[in-house]
Amino acid sequence: MTQEMKKIQIINGPNLNLLGVREPSVYGSKPFETYLEELRAAYPQCEISCFQSNIEGEMIGKIHETGFSSDGIILNAGAYTHTSIALRDAIKAVSAPVVEVHVSNVYAREAFRHQSMLSAVCRGVITGFGMDSYRLALESFIRT
């Protein structure tokens, strides 16, 4: 029996285009594009698409566009995690399950990062495992 290819959409929010150069002590020194290629090579049974935007409305548009055709969305909303009711509403509006991820441990950082507007409408949250947070989220979709 062959396993059906899983369609996974990664959506990265503001400032995540700077992974690899932005605060390497917090976010690491590997560019996301390098990590993404490694992830795709390690999981050939998944069709992994990636989208990054610093603009909230573009992220909402991508959730709408892929949220009915993907098997799962891995969302790192960056700072919008703590402020965006609009992203929360977009997650609620689509049928694809969403896993919220964070590269850093948001609970070891500033107090304002401890509150997520998104967590309650996501399947789960993975935080603090560096880039490996994405792999852990991907594994959660493969196993379901």
Side-chain angles (χ1 to χ4, degrees):
M1 182 173 171
T2 60
Q3 185 178 7
E4 187 176 319
M5 173 99 42
K6 296 263 187 177
K7 289 179 65 176
I8 306 299
Q9 176 68 54
I10 296 173
I11 300 175
N12 280 333
N15 300 308
L16 292 165
N17 56 307
L18 298 177
L19 287 173
V21 295
R22 173 189 178 204
E23 298 178 80
S25 63
V26 175
Y27 298 102
S29 57
K30 184 183 289 191
F32 188 79
E33 294 75 18
T34 301
Y35 179 74
L36 180 61
E37 289 309 313
E38 293 170 0
L39 200 61
R40 286 176 172 151
Y43 294 92
Q45 73 274 35
C46 296
E47 179 185 324
I48 305 169
S49 301
C50 186
F51 175 80
Q52 188 280 325
S53 180
N54 295 318
I55 301 169
E56 182 181 30
E58 291 180 357
M59 294 172 63
I60 291 166
K62 185 53 82 170
I63 291 170
H64 291 173
E65 176 189 327
T66 61
F68 295 99
S69 59
S70 296
D71 295 302
I73 296 173
I74 299 170
L75 175 63
N76 185 340
Y80 288 136
T81 300
H82 318 292
T83 62
S84 183
I85 295 168
L87 278 172
R88 177 190 178 101
D89 289 347
I91 293 166
K92 285 179 65 175
V94 300
S95 58
V98 177
V99 173
E100 176 186 337
V101 301
H102 301 282
V103 175
S104 69
N105 179 353
V106 294
Y107 299 102
R109 299 182 67 193
E110 304 92 342
F112 69 85
R113 296 186 194 275
H114 300 180
Q115 177 66 38
S116 170
M117 293 290 185
L118 313 178
S119 297
V121 296
C122 290
R123 172 188 278 176
V125 180
I126 300 170
T127 182
F129 291 97
M131 296 282 215
D132 210 30
S133 296
Y134 292 90
R135 181 191 62 80
L136 295 168
L138 181 59
E139 287 279 342
S140 78
F141 291 126
I142 291 171
R143 295 169 191 236
T144 56

